Amino acid sequence: MANSYGQINHYGAVRTRVTGAGNLQAQLMSMDEVNVQTLPTIPMQNTTNREILVLANFNDQRASLYLFTNQINEVFEISRITIFTRPTASGYPQ
Amino acid sequence: MGTYVAVLSVFSTTGLADQTGILDAKHCHGIQFGGTGANGQQVYQFTGNYISLDGNPAIAFTGLPAGFQFDTITFTNNETGAFLGTAVGGVSGDANGTTQSVVTWGVYGPRTTNSGASAPTTVFILNPSVPTPFKVIDMLSSYQIALTLTHVSGGGAGEFCYAYDNLKGSGSYEIYLAVTADSSTVSTGKVTTLTAPSSLDLLSTLGIYSAAGLVASPPITSSSPTSLKFTWPSIPSGSYLLVGTEFGGRVYSLGPFVYVLADPSGLYQLVPGKTDDTQYVDHTTMTVEVAIPNPFIKTGFING
């Protein structure tokens, strides 16, 4: 995909290769966290043969993925993150 | 703690000659004496929808919420009618009615049938004179209260008239939820989850109480009928109780729970494989396991 700085993208899904214990919380954030979408939690296991895919519906020029846990004894180890995105517009209307 | 009022109804009558053709608590009942020893009795029982909690419409005993417990009961007669020759009716045929009869109020064992011909088993006699408020604990569903008029002296036929209505038991109550917490030792910022079979979503406020009184009122961060979460605020180390209050004012005692708050000591030891942090309570050997604060990863901006 050609890099087109400033284009508006749709972020449709996130796939992770993660092991651990508990539930991994996920959010997509725009610059300065103006827009935030909370994604479905990702249940974690110590061993797994799956890379969990969670759907998103986030539109912005840029997005950062924020993964975290919030309960005692929850741990995570991430080895791969795949974010599915596609440009939808060249920019915001003038 | 809430308040309740429970209204009594007539269960049975014995030895009474109905002077008005209607035997119930609102009418004058005369008793005619053929000599010493003739008695009359009117028995009252809690039945039907008779309990009003905090001024709400009356409900049955079986409709009380789970965990309901009577703390106190005071029995009162709010009727201003007759009693032993005073006010309504009075004595006919013998002017010294008050010296010839004794009225006792008694509490009797459980009865399920209206067997007016047999005297119920007395649990205890409350007083031999005009009914005054007394206290009986947690008896509303099964026991009966009887007004017994005993002719103790004097001769000839006489009539005593008494009418009692608006007999009530009232007092205070609490609702004890079978609540469990996911921990009993906490520290500032710890999220505690309370679980119960039901009714946790009715709570609008929480109070953290020490022996001296209310210490803090942390907000409820999430709730459902069976689960409630809140975060412990910054308060001194010590033992505390939790009290939950419903929006309408009804109070639920959650516990009792004993919480000891650990002061963050600043001591930290890296232990391989350890998935939580250990805090130490000052001046004790007690420790508190808490979550590692804010573990996260954040990617750079992805712009397609």
Side-chain angles (χ1 to χ4, degrees):
Chain A
M1 178 183 302
N3 185 6
S4 177
Y5 185 85
Q7 68 189 14
I8 299 172
N9 304 294
H10 176 260
Y11 302 84
V14 173
R15 178 185 291 147
T16 59
R17 167 62 179 171
V18 57
T19 56
N23 293 302
L24 187 65
Q25 314 293 324
Q27 290 180 336
L28 285 171
M29 298 180 176
S30 69
M31 291 180 287
D32 292 337
E33 301 181 12
V34 174
N35 294 323
V36 178
Q37 182 188 19
T38 300
L39 306 181
T41 59
I42 302 169
M44 297 183 289
Q45 297 171 331
N46 286 332
T47 56
T48 179
N49 63 338
R50 296 186 177 186
E51 293 187 7
I52 303 296
L53 178 78
V54 292
L55 297 179
N57 184 16
F58 190 80
N59 290 280
D60 215 299
Q61 288 179 309
R62 294 185 176 190
S64 170
L65 178 64
Y66 178 57
L67 301 172
F68 63 99
T69 59
N70 56 13
Q71 298 295 322
I72 190 171
N73 293 324
E74 286 187 326
V75 293
F76 59 90
E77 182 174 338
I78 299 176
S79 56
R80 178 192 288 266
I81 299 174
T82 304
I83 299 177
F84 294 86
T85 180
R86 190 177 187 87
T88 57
S90 60
Y92 288 107
Q94 294 300 313
Chain B
M1 180 180 297
T3 58
Y4 72 92
V5 175
V7 179
L8 288 149
S9 302
V10 174
F11 180 76
S12 67
T13 60
T14 304
L16 299 180
D18 181 23
Q19 301 304 300
T20 62
I22 302 174
L23 274 176
D24 61 36
K26 299 182 181 179
H27 292 79
C28 181
H29 300 279
I31 176 171
Q32 296 184 340
F33 295 97
T36 302
N39 299 325
Q41 186 179 75
Q42 188 153 302
V43 179
Y44 304 86
Q45 183 170 341
F46 297 100
T47 185
N49 294 335
Y50 62 87
I51 304 177
S52 171
L53 303 181
D54 305 307
N56 292 312
I59 59 176
F61 184 85
T62 54
L64 294 173
F68 187 97
Q69 179 171 319
F70 295 104
D71 283 347
T72 62
I73 176 173
T74 299
F75 174 72
T76 55
N77 162 41
N78 296 317
E79 180 63 34
T80 56
F83 176 69
L84 282 184
T86 62
V88 176
V91 176
S92 168
D94 192 322
N96 296 320
T98 57
T99 64
Q100 292 187 328
S101 298
V102 173
V103 172
T104 60
W105 290 88
V107 177
Y108 295 86
R111 291 172 66 90
T112 57
T113 59
N114 183 355
S115 53
S118 61
T121 302
T122 304
V123 175
F124 56 89
I125 300 297
L126 301 172
N127 63 70
S129 58
V130 176
T132 57
F134 59 82
K135 293 187 178 181
V136 180
I137 304 298
D138 203 3
M139 50 171 268
L140 295 184
S141 66
S142 300
Y143 291 84
Q144 298 172 331
I145 299 171
L147 167 65
T148 303
L149 183 64
T150 303
H151 184 212
V152 296
S153 65
E159 288 185 1
F160 291 90
C161 213
Y162 60 92
Y164 281 98
D165 192 5
N166 204 16
L167 299 172
K168 295 178 181 177
S170 61
S172 61
Y173 72 90
E174 288 196 53
I175 298 177
Y176 293 94
L177 296 177
V179 180
T180 57
D182 59 353
S183 59
S184 61
T185 303
V186 298
S187 60
T188 302
K190 180 176 175 58
V191 176
T192 288
T193 300
L194 303 176
T195 57
S198 64
S199 303
L200 281 180
D201 59 328
L202 300 179
L203 301 181
S204 59
T205 60
L206 286 178
I208 300 174
Y209 287 82
S210 69
L214 179 66
V215 174
S217 297
I220 297 171
T221 54
S222 69
S223 70
S224 70
T226 57
S227 176
L228 180 147
K229 293 186 179 181
F230 70 98
T231 302
W232 283 87
S234 176
I235 55 179
S237 295
S239 296
Y240 298 92
L241 300 179
L242 281 177
V243 175
T245 304
E246 191 179 327
F247 178 76
R250 184 177 301 174
V251 175
Y252 296 74
S253 295
L254 306 178
F257 296 107
V258 177
Y259 286 82
V260 177
L261 296 187
D263 298 324
S265 64
L267 298 176
Y268 197 89
Q269 181 179 7
L270 294 176
V271 177
K274 194 172 187 297
T275 58
D276 54 29
D277 281 349
T278 299
Q279 292 183 343
Y280 297 85
V281 182
D282 287 343
H283 309 298
T284 72
T285 58
M286 189 181 302
T287 60
V288 179
E289 305 301 318
V290 298
I292 295 173
N294 200 26
F296 72 98
I297 66 105
K298 191 174 183 181
T299 68
F301 286 108
I302 302 149
N303 60 342

